[in-house]
Amino acid sequence: MSDSQDRSAGAVRPAGEVTAGVLRAWLEQARRVAQSSRALVDSLNVFPVPDSDTGTNVLLTLASACEAMERLPGSADLVQTSRAASDGAVRGARGNSGLLVSQALAALADVCAESSDPTRLAPVGLVHAYERIAATTWQAVSRPVTGTLLTVAKDAASAARGALEEAGAPGGSGPSGPPTAALIAAAAAFGAQESVVETAGLGHGPVDAGGAALMLMLTGLSDTINAAGAGGEHPYTDVAWQMLTDLVDSAAHGPGGLGAQAASASTASTGEFEVMYLLEATAAQAAALRTALERIGDSVGVVGTPDALGVGLYQVHVHTDTPRAALPRQGRARQVCVHHLHPTVLALTAPWEPVPLPVAQADGDGHVVSFERLAARRARREAAQRDESVRLHPSQYTGTHDPGARGGAGRVGVVACTRAPGLVEQLARTGAVVVLDPERDGIVRATGDLGLPRVVVLPCDPACAASAHEAARFLAARSAASTVRGASGVETTPEAGDPVQLIVCDTDDEARVLAAAVAVAGQAGTAGLAGLTRRASQAAVAVRTTALEGPSAEPEAVARTLGGLLRPDDELVTVILGRDALPDVGALATAAVSSYCEKVLADPDRVEVVVHAGGQADPEVLLAIE
């Protein structure tokens, strides 16, 4: 076959160096492999949190990198292509594993930019790339742990350096001929495989999930450079995949099965919430944020590349008990998404003791009544009795949200939108993915994080509702026309780019979002899309809300307003304080409700009052009665 015929057939020739074409082909293959191995890698995920999402997060991150490359012209060189892939990965990174994959691609882009030839990366440069990946991924983690993706990257880099020296490169000690990119990539792939095997038995599951995902990427790079993918064959990747399958099977049939592996790592991360967002900031601001996050949580990552002026876009990740404290004080945060990972010891305390009356403080903080009490109030209304079982944490309910249960065919995801930072924890504990200061891309991101084919969005105002509808149109345009079906015809977990049905509920303020989220907590796997939407809508409609600004938000005015709004059959008053609310609003609102109950109902405690220090820009005070 002639050279022209070979090129027209789409074959990929063995490469002595990495070019833009090789990079594109590699990342496309890596995305396909991540899609196929998603469930396998998810099943390995027990560290740092056993939430079974590493495969999903890596897939979403690689898909974002590939989408960024698709927007480039075909003439783009290696430097341009690697930077586009890096930026796309940083923007689309999900979870701790996705953050590290984006850091790896950013390191590769930096090495490509330093090359004397913008069109290619020589074998020596490829070794430098592996070493840069190992160094920067280690630096990206606040508390590096061996036996994870970090170790796999380090061992792959060591193997690549060893191969270079053995091949007799300048400065090397080997007697053989000039090294090639194929030789270096193969050595790194074998080094990664050996490293992954060595992670077995270290308390991170059968093997470390992040390490397994990186290994599949590196074996894919070796296959691409060696042109083995021309006929649809990927020998290095196939061997790695079979190795992972055998390790999982061995662990499943060992003492205690996979559950024993997971139990040993269940306390690796202590944060109750996962917080992720994009940050536009200077390098100094990003460094200061990372230091601050290390004081309040673990699994900290701040990944990005500043431009020549020192300003860049960073992906931020942290596990923490205080998500509000994880928000930046400098720079601009976008696409802020908060997930509930697991309950704390306090949240799991079964007895429900009365708490002091909520009083807002001068610094803007106030007593926040827990989600457990809100859930208990609604359950008592339905059951007409105080049932201790309804005061459990959402993760203890039958059929509740399970961070590790992704992709069930009948499950429905919930995205709760808010502009009140003080409500983030309450909303996240319901099992929803919370989007703070929502816009289209943030809602799209949260929908992707859920990994479910059906999602209900709870918008917090008309602008948010418009963004949610825009997100639905964007997802529809990006998705394929048909639903993904398995071999048996049963709907399966949607892959990146597959159709997602997004339903926008009719909540229109923070109080209705909270009421709807509480109403559907624990129903994602049982109610179905129609039932969940109906339950959320009914809860929102049942709430009477009043927004107060200016003189109407003065403490005495709020008390008078409440006195005029209450009805004899009311049971719950929720007061959401904005960032400019005066400190006595909560106390006077509580006193006004108690006075009404005593005069009209002869029982000062008949109506419960819940005060949240929401911290939203407006309204100053939001009243909700039900």
Side-chain angles (χ1 to χ4, degrees), residues 138-139 141-146 148 150:
W138 187 275
Q139 295 166 2
V141 178
S142 58
R143 299 181 182 91
V145 176
T146 57
T148 62
L150 307 178

Side-chain angles (χ1 to χ4, degrees), residues 1-13:
M1 180 182 291
S2 68
D3 289 346
S4 60
Q5 289 175 320
D6 192 23
R7 286 192 296 270
S8 65
V12 181
R13 289 184 172 280

Side-chain angles (χ1 to χ4, degrees), residues 62 129 163 268 299 301 329 347 352 370 395 419 432 515 565 569 593:
L62 290 173
S299 294
R329 290 177 171 79
W352 180 54
S370 68
S395 61
R419 302 191 193 279
L565 293 174
D569 59 344
V593 173

Side-chain angles (χ1 to χ4, degrees), residues 416-444:
C417 302
T418 182
R419 302 191 193 279
L423 295 184
V424 165
E425 294 181 24
Q426 301 289 82
L427 290 170
R429 286 197 179 102
T430 68
V433 176
V434 182
V435 181
L436 181 64
D437 294 328
E439 30 73 43
R440 188 201 73 172
D441 291 342
I443 296 171
V444 168

Side-chain angles (χ1 to χ4, degrees), residues 423-496:
L423 295 184
V424 165
E425 294 181 24
Q426 301 289 82
L427 290 170
R429 286 197 179 102
T430 68
V433 176
V434 182
V435 181
L436 181 64
D437 294 328
E439 30 73 43
R440 188 201 73 172
D441 291 342
I443 296 171
V444 168
R445 174 181 184 143
T447 301
D449 288 350
L450 285 165
L452 296 170
R454 290 167 291 278
V455 175
V456 173
V457 179
L458 306 177
C460 57
D461 54 40
C464 176
S467 294
H469 285 292
E470 187 180 354
R473 291 191 293 270
F474 173 82
L475 290 170
R478 191 180 68 175
S479 299
S482 59
T483 303
V484 175
R485 293 187 176 271
S488 62
V490 178
E491 292 183 5
T492 61
T493 301
E495 308 292 357

Side-chain angles (χ1 to χ4, degrees), residues 228-270:
E233 298 177 357
H234 311 97
Y236 289 101
T237 303
D238 291 343
V239 169
W241 193 328
Q242 186 60 51
M243 182 190 77
L244 289 178
T245 302
D246 292 344
L247 287 169
V248 170
D249 289 343
S250 298
H253 293 90
L258 292 175
Q261 299 274 359
S264 65
S266 61
T267 58
S269 177
T270 57

Side-chain angles (χ1 to χ4, degrees), residues 274-617:
E274 178 186 55
V275 181
M276 288 197 74
Y277 54 85
L278 287 176
L279 176 70
E280 295 177 10
T282 65
Q285 290 171 339
L289 174 64
R290 174 170 171 163
T291 300
L293 293 179
E294 289 172 348
R295 291 196 292 266
I296 65 167
D298 54 28
S299 294
V300 174
V302 180
V303 172
T305 303
D307 58 20
L309 299 177
V311 179
L313 184 66
Y314 297 85
Q315 185 70 250
V316 180
H317 176 277
V318 64
H319 293 171
T320 179
D321 288 336
T322 54
R324 187 173 182 179
L327 300 178
R329 290 177 171 79
Q330 296 177 309
R332 175 173 176 255
R334 296 189 284 115
Q335 299 181 28
V336 181
C337 293
V338 181
H339 307 246
H340 186 240
L341 297 175
H342 52 74
T344 60
V345 175
L346 288 176
L348 285 174
T349 302
W352 180 54
E353 299 296 335
V355 296
L357 290 177
V359 179
Q361 305 299 322
D363 61 1
D365 292 330
H367 179 79
V368 179
V369 178
S370 68
F371 161 73
E372 291 80 2
R373 289 191 65 181
L374 293 177
R377 165 62 70 178
R378 287 166 173 79
R380 286 200 305 275
R381 182 188 307 135
E382 295 177 357
Q385 62 181 1
R386 174 170 281 184
D387 181 355
E388 192 69 26
S389 66
V390 300
R391 299 183 203 113
L392 300 176
H393 191 276
S395 61
Q396 294 176 287
Y397 282 99
T398 300
T400 188
H401 84 285
D402 177 4
R406 300 182 61 90
R411 290 178 57 80
V412 180
V414 179
V415 174
C417 302
T418 182
R419 302 191 193 279
L423 295 184
V424 165
E425 294 181 24
Q426 301 289 82
L427 290 170
R429 286 197 179 102
T430 68
V433 176
V434 182
V435 181
L436 181 64
D437 294 328
E439 30 73 43
R440 188 201 73 172
D441 291 342
I443 296 171
V444 168
R445 174 181 184 143
T447 301
D449 288 350
L450 285 165
L452 296 170
R454 290 167 291 278
V455 175
V456 173
V457 179
L458 306 177
C460 57
D461 54 40
C464 176
S467 294
H469 285 292
E470 187 180 354
R473 291 191 293 270
F474 173 82
L475 290 170
R478 191 180 68 175
S479 299
S482 59
T483 303
V484 175
R485 293 187 176 271
S488 62
V490 178
E491 292 183 5
T492 61
T493 301
E495 308 292 357
D498 288 329
V500 176
Q501 186 178 3
L502 202 66
I503 301 298
V504 182
C505 207
D506 54 358
T507 52
D508 58 3
D509 59 34
E510 311 289 349
R512 290 192 171 102
V513 170
L514 183 59
V518 170
V520 301
Q523 305 298 315
T526 58
L529 180 61
L532 202 73
T533 305
R534 181 169 55 253
R535 185 183 291 265
S537 297
Q538 288 173 344
V541 169
V543 179
R544 311 191 313 274
T545 63
T546 301
L548 304 176
E549 297 274 9
S552 298
E554 299 280 344
E556 294 81 3
V558 172
R560 289 194 299 270
T561 300
L562 269 175
L565 293 174
L566 287 168
R567 300 172 183 171
D569 59 344
D570 289 330
E571 295 182 335
L572 176 65
V573 172
T574 302
V575 182
I576 301 177
L577 304 176
R579 66 187 182 194
D580 297 325
L582 295 176
D584 294 333
V585 171
L588 291 187
T590 300
V593 173
S594 178
S595 175
Y596 170 88
C597 291
E598 186 171 12
K599 292 178 181 177
V600 178
L601 306 174
D603 181 359
D605 300 322
R606 178 72 173 272
V607 177
E608 185 172 1
V609 182
V610 176
V611 178
H612 293 287
Q616 70 275 9

